[in-house]
Amino acid sequence: MSRFEKKFILNPIYISQFRADLFRQGYRKIFKDRTVNSVYFDDTNLNSYYENINGLSKRTKFRLRFYSEIFEGEGFWEQKIKHADTNYKKVQKYCGEVVPLIQLQFPMKEQLMPLVHVQYSREYYYSEKTAVRVTIDSSIKFINLKNSISCPHNELVVEYKSSVNNPVKNVPKILSNLSRSSKYCKAISVHGFASELY
């Protein structure tokens, strides 16, 4: 299913104010906070990375996503496809061996290799009135799979998600700056995989 996604950067000092704004607007928590892990794959030319930083209207990211503190052999292969202002995913369940993340192989994509692991804590909110979901990502870490070096990221990422026929409205003013905020691209840039920085 295609959906709109709008991402924003939030200064951590405003997190209490932002949560209060969400509750005033009728949002409620729908899940417990959980750890999200994404292992991102790219080819030797970093085509997925450059599709993003060059702003191509249609681009794809390849990742394995799992929701445990450590990889336990379960997760989801995802191709996240962006077309213009909408996104959709192709998802395939993974249930297999527990191997080092650097040894994973994306299905049917032999040219891709795992490069970075992004880990963060996610909060989930939903408004029944507007049918909009909001997530808040914190404690973000960018991990280089080649040498296991981990770099923390202190900003918070807020994402509004809605169906394509349901535009997002009433975004709090402290989120006035819309950001592409690709965690994958930031991880690639932070760890020096690309000559052109994100």
Side-chain angles (χ1 to χ4, degrees):
M1 180 184 296
S2 296
R3 66 184 183 187
F4 280 118
E5 294 183 355
K6 290 187 176 182
K7 292 183 180 180
F8 302 85
I9 297 299
L10 177 65
N11 189 313
I13 66 174
Y14 297 120
I15 184 59
S16 295
Q17 178 184 339
F18 178 66
R19 289 192 188 106
D21 287 342
L22 285 179
F23 290 132
R24 277 195 294 270
Q25 292 179 1
Y27 285 86
R28 60 180 179 83
K29 264 201 166 185
I30 54 172
F31 301 117
K32 292 182 179 179
D33 299 355
R34 63 178 176 177
T35 299
V36 179
N37 297 271
S38 294
V39 177
Y40 286 96
F41 296 73
D42 212 332
D43 59 26
T44 55
N45 295 318
L46 298 178
N47 279 322
S48 289
Y49 175 78
Y50 284 108
E51 284 177 0
N52 194 301
I53 67 171
N54 291 328
L56 296 187
S57 61
K58 188 171 184 179
R59 53 187 186 262
T60 304
K61 286 188 285 191
F62 302 88
R63 67 192 181 198
L64 174 73
R65 176 159 284 186
F66 61 96
Y67 297 95
S68 51
E69 289 293 332
I70 60 174
F71 182 54
E72 298 176 337
E74 294 185 356
F76 300 90
W77 299 112
E78 295 184 350
Q79 296 182 55
K80 187 173 183 182
I81 301 162
K82 180 177 176 62
H83 185 63
D85 293 326
T86 62
N87 297 272
Y88 66 95
K89 296 178 187 177
K90 295 180 180 179
V91 181
Q92 178 182 341
K93 186 173 178 59
Y94 174 81
C95 186
E97 291 185 79
V98 179
V99 298
L101 299 179
I102 191 67
Q103 295 181 14
L104 290 168
Q105 175 62 57
F106 202 94
M108 308 300 290
K109 299 288 183 181
E110 294 181 2
Q111 76 277 21
L112 301 180
M113 55 189 172
L115 295 177
V116 289
H117 170 199
V118 180
Q119 184 180 76
Y120 50 93
S121 177
R122 172 165 281 185
E123 303 173 33
Y124 299 83
Y125 299 86
Y126 182 73
S127 168
E128 293 183 355
K129 180 179 179 181
T130 61
V132 173
R133 188 166 66 132
V134 174
T135 57
I136 305 172
D137 298 339
S138 60
S139 302
I140 301 170
K141 292 190 295 185
F142 301 134
I143 304 164
N144 184 332
L145 289 176
K146 292 187 175 182
N147 56 24
S148 300
I149 292 175
S150 177
C151 295
H153 182 68
N154 295 325
E155 293 177 317
L156 307 181
V157 177
V158 175
E159 193 167 353
Y160 281 72
K161 305 172 185 182
S162 63
S163 64
V164 294
N165 57 356
N166 180 31
V168 173
K169 300 177 181 178
N170 299 320
V171 175
K173 292 182 179 179
I174 54 175
L175 297 178
S176 57
N177 294 320
L178 179 63
S179 171
R180 289 190 297 169
S181 189
S182 166
K183 297 184 185 73
Y184 168 61
C185 288
K186 287 186 177 180
I188 288 292
S189 186
V190 162
H191 286 291
F193 280 98
S195 57
E196 188 174 346
L197 300 182
Y198 179 70

